[in-house]
Structures are given as C-alpha cells and as structure tokens.
Amino acid sequence: MHTAKILIAYDGSDNARRAVSYTAAMVGSGGNRLVDVAAIERPADRDLFADDAAWKAECARRIEAMRTSLNEARAMLVAAGVPEAAVTTRFVESCRSPLREAQECSIGTSIALEILRLAEEGGYDTVVVGRRGVSKQEEFLFGSVSTKIIHAAKGLAVWVVA
Amino acid sequence: MAPSARTLLAQMAPDFPARHVGDLYTDTTEFMRISHGDVIVLADRHFLVLRDEAERRFGMEDPKFWVKRCRCLETGGRNILKLVFHESFPMTIGTMTVTCTRSPRKETRILDLVHGDDRFMQGETIYDTADNPVRILDIVPGKRLDEKIEALEMPHRDYFHDHFPEVLERFIEACQAIQWLHDRGEKHGDIRRDHLYVLRETGRYCWIDFDYTFDFQESPFGLDLFGLGNIIQFLVGMGQHTTQALTPSQRVIIDANDCSIMFPNRVVNLKKLFPYIPESLNNILLRFSLAAEVYYDTTAELIDDLSRARDALSQPTL
C-alpha cells in the first residue's frame, strides 16, 4: 500500500501551529501516513550585533526555542491520534550558524526553496505551510514563504493554511 | 611620550590656525567629543578633523557626529572617517516600519570586498586602540546622480531621447554592481538615489554607504530591489512625480494602481504622463506599482528586463 508522506514547513509561529493543527485534523489516526515537521534554522544576522558573544547567545536562544516548539508540534500530532512512529521532526541547521554541529546545513538564501529541496529529496507527496495573511506591501518587501512555495513547487500537493 | 596635537600640527599642518588646535585621539569611542581641530591617530596615520558630516534631507541639515571630514596629515588628502556608532532604529517606508541597524562590521567587510572596484566607494578600515573599526573613506570624485538629473533644464521628451539612453546604460552597470554584491551574499542595505554618484572622469556610477543592514529572512535582497526600483522611476521620470503635482487632466487618468506599492502618492505608471515611454520600460516600473501581482525576486531579473528595455530604446520608432 502506498504510504503518503507529508512535510510540514514549521517555524514556530502561530501560522505554523495552525498548519500542524490542520494536518493533525486531516490525518488523525486513519491511513498510513508519515508526517515530518521540518524547521529550517534562521540564525540571527551577525551584522545586527555589536559583538560575537551577543550574537551567539541569540542564536542559541533561537535554537532552543525552535527545538522546544518542534516537540510541541509533535505532541499536537500525536494527541490528535497520529501514531507516534509516524511522526518525525527535524531541525536543519543553517550553514551560517556559529553553533552548527551537523554536516548537512541550509545555505539560508530561501526557506521556501529549502523546504522544497527537503520535500524532493525525501519523496514527499504533500507540503503543508501556514500563511501569515500579509499585505501586498509586506509581501513585496519581506517576501512570503508560502507564496514562494506555491510558485516553485512541482510534482507535489501544497496545503496552505491561512 | 606621544607628541601633542599642537606639536603635530605645527610640524605637519603649519597652515592650521593654532587657536583651533584640539586634542589627540587614539580611542574614538566617545565620538561626540571629537571635533574640529582634533587629531585622530590610527596606526601610523594622523587625521585632522575639519568638521562633522551632515546629510541634507527634507530641507534640514542632519548632523552625523560619528562621520568626520578630515585631512590626512601624511598625504594632505581629504578623507571621511566613519567612527563606530551602533544603533538600531525604525525606518518608515510608506506605510510600513522596518528596523534598520548600522553595522560597522558589514561596511568593513564590503569595503574589503570591493577594493579596487570603481563601481563602489573606496576605503579601508583601521582599528583604533579600543578596537573600534574606523572606516577611512576616499572622497568620491564626482557628483550625485540625482542632483545632475535635477539640474537638467529641458523638457522631459528631450531628456528622454537625448540623455536617458546613456543614463539607462550606466544604471544597468550600477545594478550589475549590486548583483555582484548579492552573488557574494552581501546587500548594499541603503540604496537611495543620493547614494549613487557619477564619477567625474569616466561617467560611471559609483555606490556609497554600505553600513545599513536589515533582518529580512525570506527576501534578504528585497530592500535593495525596492531601492533600485525607486531610482529607475526617478531616472525615467527625470524626477519624482507625485499625485499632488498632477495637472487636472492628468489626475483624471491616474488612479491608485498607477502609483507605487509603497508610496501611494508617487506615480510609477509614467507612460500615462509621457506616452513615448516604451512599453517594455514602463512594464518594469509597473512591477513596483500597487497593481503588480508579481515582484522582482532577484536583481538579475531586473537587469534582464532593463537590458531588454535598453534594446527597445535603440530600435528606430515609426
């Protein structure tokens, strides 16, 4: 039997939590589905800090917060009935992180493209992403992960949870 | 014992009035105290401070106490010294506010990167005795591009046909310079029309001021692209065109979708004001309008469209 593989793009925001919640409701305990919650590290920009110590402390704080948040996402899915064995989480470190330990890392130019790379490499059928509901001005200036995923995705389904 | 500023200036700048001689600084941390007549010592070089730099915006002089206009006592040449000033402040762009941070480290890195490349201002960094990276900038030998454009006294049509093709050619080169930075993971950070100079000798354009940075994760170069868009609007229009300045007949044909996505009073659909602007060029401007559905994601995309518009300009018109 074909096993559906779902990848949730996760950044710990309320929108990302909604994406997890929606996926949990859709998947529940039925079917033979694997759900992977993936977070790409967004290290603080080194140039924003006066010294390395402050920068590293902020990077460490963000990593800790994201790992905690990933565990919460996992708990949400399991609580909704998704078998524990079917839920995985992963944290992809940034190549720019001063605290990097893993060999594989995200080059960090685009979270959206990183998510799609993970989806392609892992053979996922579906990518789930939350949407902030940004204004045109915000999207113009800051970009939008969900918009970029929609535009760049090929050969898979994209669920956008707004 | 190190010589006093008075002794140094008596030897190296005897023309400098003795009554204005100040103090010697090897640590520039307290930059507010450093002023006219003081001497900043960096490694084996000495810089006589002439004045604080100021920026003229919206008709007001805005002093920049951390930027000193200096005379290098060894060479006699003029330099601008940028002292370390860490600040983060909200910057308003249209209806939005973004947090901007001044980063001496970033500017130092870019100055090293662009050394010898006349598309960018030149300079070097020397650390003072308190380890502050002081950026010693060469004065750009040229004039601000926007001032040159604004000084032209001719109808838009004449400007567009006689001058704009060369302006566009040079601007494409300037965009390529920004793309070169982006390809190396760097952003300019403060692309504004008064940060682009025309070099006196070659006519090439030269970018200045690289110390701003922003934390835009998904669109790290978005603000640079926005800045390039503002400049091309200015260059095509031979100035800025606001809704307030429209004539009654123009006002009838301009609506919100013809204006900038960020500045609702700034007309970007300039073909409606100047019908001889080719479609291919106007379409670039429209990518920065409220009506736009797709935005430039990379500088390379903008350069491709500008190059096509340049080619279209050189086609004979019927």
Side-chain angles (χ1 to χ4, degrees), chain A residues 42-43 45-48 50 52 62 109-112 136-138 140-143 145 148, chain B residues 96 98 101 103 105-106 109 187 213 215-219 223 226 261 288 290 292 295 297:
Chain A
R42 296 182 181 210
D45 187 334
R46 168 66 192 89
D47 291 333
L48 300 175
D52 279 356
R62 288 190 188 192
T109 49
S110 166
I111 299 290
K136 284 190 85 163
Q137 286 76 14
E138 283 175 279
F140 171 78
L141 217 50
F142 304 129
V145 174
K148 208 179 266 185
Chain B
M96 294 183 56
V98 298
T101 300
S103 172
R105 173 187 284 249
K106 171 178 176 263
R109 205 172 54 233
K187 46 187 174 275
T213 191
D215 196 8
F216 288 13
Q217 295 270 355
E218 190 53 25
S219 183
L223 206 62
F226 167 66
I261 186 169
F288 299 93
L290 185 63
Y295 314 117
D297 210 24

Side-chain angles (χ1 to χ4, degrees), chain A:
Chain A
M1 182 185 163
H2 176 66
T3 302
K5 292 177 74 178
I6 298 172
L7 180 69
I8 304 176
Y10 192 75
D11 66 0
S13 66
D14 289 345
N15 317 293
R17 286 172 200 273
R18 275 204 303 278
V20 172
S21 172
Y22 180 81
T23 308
M26 290 292 283
V27 173
S29 55
N32 188 17
R33 294 184 170 111
L34 299 176
V35 181
D36 190 8
V37 188
I40 311 287
E41 183 186 7
R42 296 182 181 210
D45 187 334
R46 168 66 192 89
D47 291 333
L48 300 175
F49 295 84
D51 59 70
D52 279 356
W55 175 48
K56 285 179 182 171
E58 174 60 17
C59 290
R61 189 196 64 74
R62 288 190 188 192
I63 290 171
E64 183 58 31
M66 187 55 75
R67 289 196 190 280
T68 304
S69 191
L70 275 171
N71 287 336
E72 289 166 3
R74 178 187 170 79
M76 277 171 72
L77 288 159
V78 172
V82 184
E84 262 196 270
V87 181
T88 51
T89 61
R90 76 165 96 176
F91 178 69
V92 181
E93 291 180 321
S94 165
C95 302
R96 290 183 291 125
S97 171
L99 309 169
R100 180 163 72 92
E101 291 171 351
Q103 282 286 323
E104 188 200 31
C105 59
S106 154
I107 56 169
T109 49
S110 166
I111 299 290
L113 299 182
E114 286 292 330
I115 289 291
L116 289 174
R117 181 183 62 79
L118 292 180
E120 189 183 347
E121 287 175 6
Y124 289 84
D125 316 287
T126 305
V127 167
V128 189
V129 61
R131 186 170 176 83
R132 282 178 290 163
V134 295
S135 66
K136 284 190 85 163
Q137 286 76 14
E138 283 175 279
E139 186 171 335
F140 171 78
L141 217 50
F142 304 129
S144 159
V145 174
S146 57
T147 300
K148 208 179 266 185
I149 285 179
I150 293 166
H151 285 160
K154 278 184 194 155
L156 47 76
V158 179
W159 295 353
V160 179
V161 183

Side-chain angles (χ1 to χ4, degrees), chain B residues 20-31:
Chain B
H20 292 312
V21 173
D23 297 317
L24 213 57
Y25 285 89
T26 57
D27 173 354
T28 62
T29 307
E30 300 291 330
F31 59 78

Side-chain angles (χ1 to χ4, degrees), chain B residues 4-21:
Chain B
S4 67
R6 189 170 297 278
T7 313
L8 252 172
L9 288 174
Q11 290 169 0
M12 303 179 81
D15 59 318
F16 191 75
R19 66 181 183 283
H20 292 312
V21 173

